[in-house]
């Protein structure tokens, strides 16, 4: 059998009742986190444009565009919700995959569930299995052959897996859908820190909404007899098939995701947490900072790192500017970032004092670990140096359910009333008890300003 066929068989025969308790809780956490990211990203320009195009080009349907009161077809709604969830870089990620599964898998699973009225246990299993498929394939990539590490290269597989589970697609058709989705995925060769283009502050970013679209369309095509190259994942030049086809009895990858307390590239987070640690040790004013030396890994220096960002995406990929926001506005101002922080003179001036340096030991430990430490030099005191720091939200420093609830409440406080926040959290509690209807209904309510 081809690897696509083995994976499809795993996905369609795995019983929902066998989902480990840890994976089930992780699925609930991932749903809450994706919704948090979508709420705060829903009114950003790129997400608004995505909705406008979807209204124009796709047909009506039952699937909600989250928190707008509108509904479209399943593919269109998933595209819109993925665009909102990924626009501010506030969504979850996976260290081994070096990307972001949740902004694709969760919108797909919930959009299909809104169409099919799927029960809670099936939704949670579909989310977990969507993560499993996408992450396994991402981890199995040969970086010598697949140069771009952007999420859109592999999140479409997760979309196929989650949707196929909820639609009850047969294994043969699902294998074809995986093959088609892999070919049609956005190639992302140019974009991001692993691409050749240098203008990274753009709305394409990781290509996640586009992978959702190609994944869901691949599933529809396969169910009607359209075929793809079933041997897509069997070539060691590009993938390690054994990683992809391994038994699902192993611990599920959804329990290994990280969550992000700040809405910027994950490569920036260890430096931000290092700065926060310095703040806890020493009370100093930003005006007395002469310079900040950030010691980190090489890939962090591949970000655009603009000291005078023109867009919110520029901020998300600028380590110096995010350090400036944390130092002047406080680290909570990164949860999430906003238009008021664009090209502010005080932030630009501080960002120019931030120097990025590669630490060879830290670089050697990347990407298994993303670490940093920094030294703050002041005009009236000694230099203060932090410890080497791993970012909050990783498995080594996890964010539990209560912390994700705090993130949700804090980040969405300007978008959702306290009553609406409680309704969403109560809906997730109901899903955990086996009733998906209250939470799915929450997604249909408009934002309350």
């Amino acid at each position: 059998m081809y690897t696509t066929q083995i994976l499809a068989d795993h996905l369609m025969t795995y019983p929902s009742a066998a989902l480990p308790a840890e994976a089930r809780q992780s699925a609930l956490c991932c749903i809450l986190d994706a919704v948090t990211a979508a709420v705060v990203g829903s009114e950003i320009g790129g997400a608004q444009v995505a909705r406008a195009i979807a209204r124009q080009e796709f047909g009506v349907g039952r699937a909600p565009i989250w928190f707008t009161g509108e509904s479209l077809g399943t593919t269109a709604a998933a595209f819109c919700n993925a665009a909102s969830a990924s626009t501010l870089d506030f969504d979850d990620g996976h260290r081994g995959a070096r990307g972001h599964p949740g902004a694709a898998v969760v919108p797909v699973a919930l959009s299909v569930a809104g169409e099919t009225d799927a029960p809670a246990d099936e939704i949670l299993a579909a989310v977990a299995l969507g993560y499993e498929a996408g992450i396994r394939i991402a981890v199995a990539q040969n970086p010598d052959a697949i140069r771009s590490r952007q999420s859109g290269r592999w999140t479409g597989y997760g979309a196929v897996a989650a949707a196929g589970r909820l639609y009850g697609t047969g294994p043969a058709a699902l294998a074809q859908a995986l093959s088609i989705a892999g070919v049609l995925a956005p190639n992302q060769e140019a974009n991001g820190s692993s691409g050749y283009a240098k203008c990274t502050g753009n709305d394409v970013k990781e290509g996640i909404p586009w992978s959702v679209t190609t994944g869901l369309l691949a599933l529809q095509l396969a169910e009607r007899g359209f075929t793809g190259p079933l041997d897509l994942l069997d070539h060691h030049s590009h993938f390690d098939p054994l990683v992809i086809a391994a038994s699902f009895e192993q611990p599920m990858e959804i329990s290994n995701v990280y969550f992000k307390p700040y809405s910027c590239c994950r490569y920036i987070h260890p430096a931000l947490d290092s700065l926060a640690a310095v703040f806890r040790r020493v009370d100093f004013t930003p005006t007395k900072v002469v310079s900040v030396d950030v010691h980190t890994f090489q890939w962090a220096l591949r970000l655009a790192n603009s000291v005078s960002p023109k867009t919110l995406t520029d901020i998300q990929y600028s380590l110096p500017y995010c350090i400036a926001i944390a130092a002047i506005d406080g680290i909570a101002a990164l949860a999430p970032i906003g238009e008021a922080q664009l090209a502010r003179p005080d932030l630009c001036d501080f960002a120019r004092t931030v120097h990025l340096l590669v630490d060879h030991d830290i670089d050697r430990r990347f990407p298994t670990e993303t670490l940093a430490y920094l030294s703050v030099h002041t005009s009236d005191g000694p230099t203060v140096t932090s410890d080497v720091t791993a970012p909050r939200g990783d498995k080594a420093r996890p964010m539990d359910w209560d912390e994700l609830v705090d993130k949700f409440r804090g980040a969405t406080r300007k978008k959702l009333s306290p009553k609406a926040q409680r309704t969403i959290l109560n809906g997730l509690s109901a899903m955990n008890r086996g009733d998906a209807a209250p939470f799915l209904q929450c997604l249909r309510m408009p934002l309350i300003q």
Side-chain angles (χ1 to χ4, degrees), residues 375-398:
S375 299
V376 179
H377 308 278
T378 62
S379 59
D380 64 349
T383 296
V384 181
T385 300
S386 75
D387 294 331
V388 175
T389 303
R392 190 159 64 95
D394 271 9
K395 287 292 285 185
R397 299 182 61 199

Side-chain angles (χ1 to χ4, degrees), residues 42 165 177 258 319 329:
S42 62
R165 275 287 301 200
Y258 62 75
L319 198 161
D329 292 346

Side-chain angles (χ1 to χ4, degrees), residues 269-271 273-275 277-278 280-281 295-297 359-363 365 369-375 385-392 396-397:
H269 285 221
D273 285 333
S274 297
L275 186 67
V278 170
R280 288 192 292 269
R281 287 167 49 190
H295 302 262
T296 186
F297 44 91
D359 180 280
H360 294 297
D361 181 60
I362 287 174
D363 193 49
R365 295 161 71 177
E369 299 175 274
T370 53
L371 307 171
Y373 71 92
L374 53 78
S375 299
T385 300
S386 75
D387 294 331
V388 175
T389 303
R392 190 159 64 95
R397 299 182 61 199

Side-chain angles (χ1 to χ4, degrees), residues 417-428 438-439 442 445:
S417 69
K419 180 180 179 181
Q421 290 178 329
R422 288 193 299 272
T423 300
I424 291 168
L425 293 172
N426 289 339
L428 281 169
F439 178 71
C442 290
M445 66 184 184

Side-chain angles (χ1 to χ4, degrees), residues 252-423:
M252 302 193 77
E253 290 292 354
I254 194 169
S255 298
N256 295 321
V257 300
Y258 62 75
F259 298 106
K260 301 175 72 172
Y262 321 118
S263 66
C264 57
C265 178
R266 189 60 167 177
Y267 294 174
I268 299 171
H269 285 221
L272 292 171
D273 285 333
S274 297
L275 186 67
V278 170
F279 285 171
R280 288 192 292 269
R281 287 167 49 190
V282 180
D283 183 20
F284 63 85
T285 60
T287 56
K288 293 185 177 181
V289 173
V290 175
S291 63
V292 178
D293 295 336
V294 178
H295 302 262
T296 186
F297 44 91
Q298 177 65 45
W299 276 83
L301 275 66
R302 297 189 188 186
L303 303 176
N305 290 319
S306 170
V307 296
S308 183
K310 303 298 188 294
T311 69
L312 289 178
T313 308
D314 282 338
I315 295 179
Q316 294 164 43
Y317 294 113
S318 176
L319 198 161
Y321 204 80
C322 288
I323 289 286
I325 291 172
I328 293 175
D329 292 346
I331 204 161
L334 289 152
I337 58 172
E339 300 280 350
Q341 295 161 329
L342 281 173
R344 262 177 40 196
D346 59 337
L347 296 176
C348 294
D349 288 344
F350 194 100
R352 292 187 184 98
T353 73
V354 179
H355 306 132
L356 307 182
L357 306 167
V358 175
D359 180 280
H360 294 297
D361 181 60
I362 287 174
D363 193 49
R364 178 181 57 80
R365 295 161 71 177
F366 177 86
T368 303
E369 299 175 274
T370 53
L371 307 171
Y373 71 92
L374 53 78
S375 299
V376 179
H377 308 278
T378 62
S379 59
D380 64 349
T383 296
V384 181
T385 300
S386 75
D387 294 331
V388 175
T389 303
R392 190 159 64 95
D394 271 9
K395 287 292 285 185
R397 299 182 61 199
M399 294 173 68
D400 62 17
W401 174 261
D402 289 340
E403 290 173 291
L404 292 172
V405 169
D406 289 342
K407 172 183 171 179
F408 166 73
R409 290 187 187 278
T412 66
R413 67 189 184 283
K414 295 181 180 178
K415 304 288 186 181
L416 296 169
S417 69
K419 180 180 179 181
Q421 290 178 329
R422 288 193 299 272
T423 300

Side-chain angles (χ1 to χ4, degrees), residues 157-214:
Y157 296 110
V160 168
R165 275 287 301 200
L166 293 173
Y167 282 130
T169 302
L174 191 68
Q176 293 288 355
L178 291 166
S179 303
I180 298 164
V183 175
L184 299 184
N187 66 47
Q188 292 289 300
E189 291 269 345
N191 214 30
S193 58
S194 59
Y196 60 80
K198 302 303 180 185
C199 300
T200 55
N202 59 72
D203 288 324
V204 175
K205 297 178 70 177
E206 299 263 348
I208 293 171
W210 319 104
S211 75
V212 163
T213 304
T214 55

